[in-house]
Amino acid sequence: MNKYPVGELRPSQIMFSYGIGAIADLPNLAALVMGLDEWRQEGTVEIAEERLLLAVQKQLGQQVQKLLSLPIPPEENNDSLLGVPVAPFPTWMVCPRCKLLAPVSSEIFQLNNRRNRSSELHYHHPNCPKSRKYPPKVIPVRFMVACEKGHLDDFPWRYFVHGGTSDCNGSLRLLETNVSGSVTDILVCCDECGAKRPLAQAFGIPGKQNMPKCRGRHPHLRSFDDDCNQQMKTLLLGASNSWFSLNLSALSIPTTAGKLEELIRENWVALKNAQTLDNLELLLQTLFSMGQLQSLMKYPSAEIWATLEKIRQNTSENDPSNLKDPEWQAFIAVEQEVNIGKDWHLVPTTPPPDFRDKLEKVILVQKLREVRALMGFTRIQSPGDFSDTGDVPDDFKARLSRQPPKWVPAMEVRGEGIFIQFNETALQTWEQQPLIRKHYNKVKQAHKNWLNQRNPDLVDKIPCPSMRYLLLHSFAHALMRQFALECGYNAASLRERIYAQMATETPEKKDAQAGVLIYTAAPDSEGTLGGLVYLGESQRLNYHLNQAFEYIRICASDPLCSDHNPDGDGSIHWAACHACLFSPETSCERGNKYLDRTLLIPTLAQDLEKQKYAFFQ
């Protein structure tokens, strides 16, 4: 198969928008990003983050050896084919002149490749009866099918137009009876037998009757699953629910053990493979002779080995299934300024004066490093529908490769943020109010109803978030919208990281978590510029909290927004909408679900009980 460069994508796009199994809509083609089996490791760099690697291994298997950056072709070689492999998908194309519908495998359409002009790579129809002089460019058909178990397939054109399996192999055409482009105005026709069918019958309730069962196809792996009991669902090319990235992320948390441990962590990729003291001494001699790791020359090899083993032991003792616990412990332990290495600088500050009874601690995170790993993807349902930690049932998670992967794509970003810890006593008092408990029963019922509408099998598998999660989530969204007005970053650049673990039934209740990290990060080595941290100082944060609460007190969509309840309308939020609380998808852990501004402050809700929900009265 010939290989040609077809376009460019940024690393962040491959991680979050056009990753493995996703379709990138290029100027003349629609390209499907292929699985890891077809990727090359040339041009990649190993990324060190042991906590995240252990979490990846727990989900994907111990055979995963490393996290690798995305391949980047060298600038001096513009003809290099090093990069991310793709294949045309959907494989059916339509001629805009004669309306002929055919797959590229039929060889009716031919590839036109122009060297050094990848943006103009396209298929054309050389024998089009309506344009003999200049063969017209053909375009990818804009319909495909998918299912909730991560499968994707070409639309079954012959099956659909003939109402089932048929021996007819006549030419198909896609005719539009109106200029609107609506599916109600599109007909699929067979030239041989004259069969016709409106494409509208492939959607909604008629689609359940007219479409076949899913074939279990994974085109990015060039394979099929043995069996799939799901019904095919027709999607438009470019539909936002055709691919959802499944990521795990972890903040790099250094320790204050000393300069040697800091140096070893910074050079972990080079040192981690040493299994004995003799191996380490040989490795160090080789690296020193090449002019590398000169900062370690003054330390005895035995001391370096002891520190290396200590780091391994401490890392293995952490539970890899919960990446947020060590981060929470690192934040709440800060009592004075901590500046370790180039990626961890915390400065505690006093809580805002108007909220000291509700907020216990505020930390200015002047430097942070986050590593994100691509674990897989879902279709139809986003990972946020399942949990905020990426814990997706295996049946709904699509694989990255045919064989268990030995590495996964990852990227590291550096930035800044503000950590806000809630007062646990005030929060527990609020949670134990009879009205809040009564409301939580309604939340659990709405959660159950929402799952029943989508997949009843998931009702007992996906737990309902706690009331403290709804409160912290709504708080984070309100504050992100306010910060975006003045911090210098747009709303899509801000992200939330919510720590909302409930306390166990022990007298100490030390494992309770109630905090929010609002941060921004960029993939370059310098990170960000301090505009967000600046807003976290006591008086400024006090002003922005008051402004945020005043902004959401009255919504432009009130009273519809303030009185909203998810009673069968396909949502799972309460008093929240695009005018008051919703944030860009890149910012939110749960896809704008489980939000309710009545938990923060009194609103215009006509239900008087809702006026008493507010944590910040």
Side-chain angles (χ1 to χ4, degrees):
M1 180 181 294
N2 293 328
K3 298 180 179 180
Y4 306 102
V6 295
E8 296 181 354
L9 292 173
R10 297 189 303 274
S12 59
Q13 287 180 303
I14 297 174
M15 291 293 295
F16 297 105
S17 303
Y18 304 112
I20 295 173
I23 298 173
D25 199 6
L26 303 174
N28 301 304
L29 291 172
L32 178 77
V33 180
M34 305 304 289
L36 288 180
D37 308 278
E38 303 186 29
W39 287 44
R40 295 162 61 185
Q41 296 187 30
E42 299 172 37
T44 63
V45 177
E46 185 173 354
I47 298 175
E49 183 51 57
E50 198 66 15
R51 280 200 315 122
L52 183 59
L53 180 59
L54 289 174
V56 172
Q57 290 174 341
K58 185 176 179 63
Q59 291 200 28
L60 299 184
Q62 294 297 319
Q63 80 287 339
V64 180
Q65 301 172 0
K66 51 192 173 182
L67 310 174
L68 292 183
S69 68
L70 297 166
I72 300 177
E75 293 183 2
E76 64 274 9
N77 186 2
N78 295 328
D79 293 331
S80 172
L81 292 178
L82 178 62
V84 176
V86 297
F89 193 91
T91 61
W92 284 71
M93 303 272 185
V94 62
C95 175
R97 298 287 180 85
C98 66
K99 308 300 181 184
L100 180 66
L101 180 65
V104 294
S105 59
S106 66
E107 299 185 355
I108 295 175
F109 306 134
Q110 296 181 5
L111 184 65
N112 188 336
N113 174 42
R114 298 182 179 179
R115 283 291 180 186
N116 300 321
R117 301 177 69 177
S118 60
S119 61
E120 297 188 16
L121 187 75
H122 65 273
Y123 283 90
H124 64 271
H125 188 190
N127 298 316
C128 178
K130 294 191 175 182
S131 183
R132 296 184 181 277
K133 187 175 182 181
Y134 298 104
K137 293 180 182 179
V138 297
I139 56 177
V141 70
R142 57 189 178 102
F143 303 98
M144 55 189 181
V145 292
C147 84
E148 293 179 347
K149 291 192 174 181
H151 299 127
L152 182 70
D153 208 344
D154 283 299
F155 188 90
W157 296 104
R158 296 194 181 279
Y159 179 99
F160 177 74
V161 72
H162 295 112
T165 55
S166 173
D167 295 331
C168 179
N169 291 316
S171 299
L172 302 183
R173 299 192 186 273
L174 201 62
L175 304 178
E176 296 187 23
T177 60
N178 202 318
V179 295
S180 67
S182 171
V183 293
T184 57
D185 298 326
I186 298 177
L187 287 176
V188 186
C189 307
C190 177
D191 291 346
E192 183 73 20
C193 64
K196 294 182 180 181
R197 200 167 203 179
L199 202 57
Q201 294 184 13
F203 291 85
I205 296 177
K208 295 180 179 180
Q209 301 170 350
N210 299 324
M211 299 296 288
K213 289 290 185 180
C214 179
R215 299 195 300 165
R217 185 185 179 193
H218 287 300
H220 70 290
L221 303 179
R222 306 186 194 275
S223 67
F224 291 81
D225 284 344
D226 294 336
D227 184 42
C228 181
N229 58 4
Q230 298 290 311
Q231 179 76 36
M232 282 184 175
K233 293 185 179 180
T234 306
L235 300 178
L236 291 176
L237 181 63
S240 60
N241 64 342
S242 65
W243 188 86
F244 294 100
S245 170
L246 179 57
N247 284 275
L248 280 182
S249 68
L251 302 182
S252 296
I253 307 173
T255 65
T256 56
K259 182 64 176 179
L260 177 57
E261 183 169 336
E262 179 185 329
L263 291 172
I264 291 176
R265 288 182 180 275
E266 289 180 359
N267 299 282
W268 183 256
V269 171
L271 299 172
K272 68 175 184 176
N273 292 324
Q275 299 302 318
T276 65
L277 177 57
D278 292 339
N279 290 155
L280 178 64
E281 290 177 340
L282 181 61
L283 177 62
L284 289 175
Q285 290 177 7
T286 303
L287 293 172
F288 292 161
S289 65
M290 298 170 61
Q292 299 180 19
L293 273 63
Q294 299 296 305
S295 56
L296 290 175
M297 293 185 68
K298 62 181 180 180
Y299 296 97
S301 57
E303 186 179 351
I304 296 175
W305 172 253
T307 307
L308 192 65
E309 286 290 274
K310 177 185 174 182
I311 295 174
R312 285 177 178 150
Q313 180 65 28
N314 292 339
T315 302
S316 63
E317 291 175 354
N318 292 328
D319 180 10
S321 63
N322 196 334
L323 292 168
K324 291 184 178 180
D325 280 354
E327 299 168 9
W328 169 261
Q329 296 299 331
F331 281 127
I332 65 172
V334 173
E335 298 297 338
Q336 58 185 5
E337 183 173 353
V338 177
N339 188 2
I340 304 175
K342 61 180 181 180
D343 297 321
W344 193 251
H345 188 184
L346 309 182
V347 180
T349 186
T350 55
D354 293 348
F355 303 93
R356 286 178 182 169
D357 58 331
K358 304 292 186 182
L359 306 179
E360 185 169 328
K361 179 180 289 187
V362 176
I363 297 176
L364 307 180
V365 186
Q366 296 190 350
K367 294 180 183 178
L368 62 80
R369 172 180 178 261
E370 182 187 26
V371 181
R372 304 163 183 169
L374 182 63
M375 301 285 295
F377 61 90
T378 63
R379 302 195 194 276
I380 311 298
Q381 288 187 279
S382 72
D385 294 348
F386 300 94
S387 73
D388 63 318
T389 59
D391 187 12
V392 176
D394 290 339
D395 288 347
F396 296 85
K397 181 166 56 178
R399 307 186 306 275
L400 297 178
S401 58
R402 290 187 291 273
Q403 302 297 325
K406 295 184 178 180
W407 63 278
V408 295
M411 66 179 296
E412 57 181 346
V413 291
R414 291 176 170 83
E416 58 175 304
I418 301 172
F419 174 80
I420 301 174
Q421 180 184 357
F422 278 53
N423 185 295
E424 183 63 31
T425 302
L427 187 55
Q428 289 188 22
T429 302
W430 175 79
E431 288 176 316
Q432 293 166 6
Q433 294 180 57
L435 273 177
I436 299 301
R437 290 187 174 184
K438 179 181 176 182
H439 183 53
Y440 187 50
N441 290 332
K442 297 178 182 178
V443 171
K444 290 190 288 187
Q445 186 59 46
H447 171 81
K448 182 177 180 180
N449 294 340
W450 183 77
L451 290 175
N452 269 321
Q453 293 175 10
R454 283 155 178 76
N455 195 325
D457 295 337
L458 297 176
V459 172
D460 298 325
K461 297 180 180 180
I462 303 178
C464 179
S466 63
M467 283 301 295
R468 71 169 56 197
Y469 184 90
L470 269 71
L471 173 66
L472 294 169
H473 194 200
S474 304
F475 175 83
H477 277 238
L479 202 50
M480 281 194 296
R481 290 176 68 100
Q482 175 63 25
F483 282 164
L485 299 176
E486 296 199 29
C487 70
Y489 308 111
N490 60 45
S493 298
L494 300 180
R495 291 171 61 89
E496 64 182 0
R497 198 167 181 87
I498 299 173
Y499 305 87
Q501 180 173 295
M502 293 289 292
T504 55
E505 296 302 322
T506 58
E508 300 85 4
K509 294 187 176 181
K510 292 183 179 180
D511 57 347
Q513 299 178 5
V516 169
L517 172 65
I518 297 175
Y519 66 104
T520 186
D524 62 42
S525 60
E526 297 301 326
T528 47
L529 302 174
L532 182 58
V533 166
Y534 175 78
L535 303 183
E537 297 174 3
S538 182
Q539 291 297 330
R540 293 190 184 93
L541 183 58
N542 191 81
Y543 167 79
H544 286 294
L545 281 172
N546 282 313
Q547 287 294 105
F549 292 155
E550 188 63 30
Y551 179 81
I552 65 171
R553 191 179 303 275
I554 301 176
C555 173
S557 299
D558 279 342
L560 295 177
C561 177
S562 57
D563 288 322
H564 176 261
N565 288 298
D567 298 329
D569 65 351
S571 68
I572 189 66
H573 63 267
W574 284 259
C577 68
H578 288 283
C580 57
L581 276 189
F582 284 0
S583 293
E585 288 185 5
T586 54
S587 302
C588 181
E589 289 185 345
R590 298 300 289 262
N592 285 321
K593 302 176 183 67
Y594 305 104
L595 293 168
D596 187 357
R597 58 191 171 94
T598 61
L599 303 181
L600 297 174
I601 44 94
T603 64
L604 295 179
Q606 298 180 14
D607 186 347
L608 297 181
E609 279 192 355
K610 291 185 176 182
Q611 303 293 341
K612 302 176 183 179
Y613 291 168
F615 180 74
F616 299 96
Q617 289 285 355

